[in-house]
Amino acid sequence: MNRTDRLYALVEEPRAAAPRPCSARTLAARFEVSVRTIERDLAALQQSGVPVYAEPGRRGGYALDRQRTLPPLTITPAEAVSRRCGR
């Protein structure tokens, strides 16, 4: 998986696991990369404005601020590139 795909997936993983946070170790195992890579990717997402935050503690991890995100799109790739104007 390339970095761009992984960054997108890193946004979707905490959304799917909500309300529980996802640990960096769990995310690293899921994407078959190091914990350090996950932490760098999450830092890059935070710097770009994605509302990802860390919850400290034994059951902590990374989560999305649900107040500042939209639900995922439920359209097909063909619908996304369609040029129909409702006519």
Side-chain angles (χ1 to χ4, degrees):
M1 173 181 286
N2 66 39
R3 185 168 191 238
T4 302
D5 292 337
R6 188 174 61 245
L7 288 173
Y8 179 77
L10 278 172
V11 173
E12 294 305 314
E13 269 311 297
R15 184 190 316 267
R20 297 177 324 206
C22 296
S23 72
R25 182 170 292 146
T26 301
L27 292 169
R30 164 82 170 84
F31 296 111
E32 299 176 350
V33 295
S34 70
V35 171
R36 178 68 184 129
T37 297
I38 293 296
E39 290 171 347
R40 271 195 311 259
D41 287 350
L42 289 167
L45 288 169
Q46 289 172 328
Q47 289 175 351
S48 68
V50 176
V52 176
Y53 65 94
E55 288 188 5
R58 185 169 176 198
R59 295 186 184 251
Y62 292 93
L64 283 177
D65 183 352
R66 295 179 70 71
Q67 301 292 336
R68 296 179 47 208
T69 60
L70 296 172
L73 293 176
T74 56
I75 60 174
T76 66
E79 291 171 331
V81 297
S82 172
R83 292 188 173 237
R84 288 179 52 188
C85 295
R87 293 184 212 179

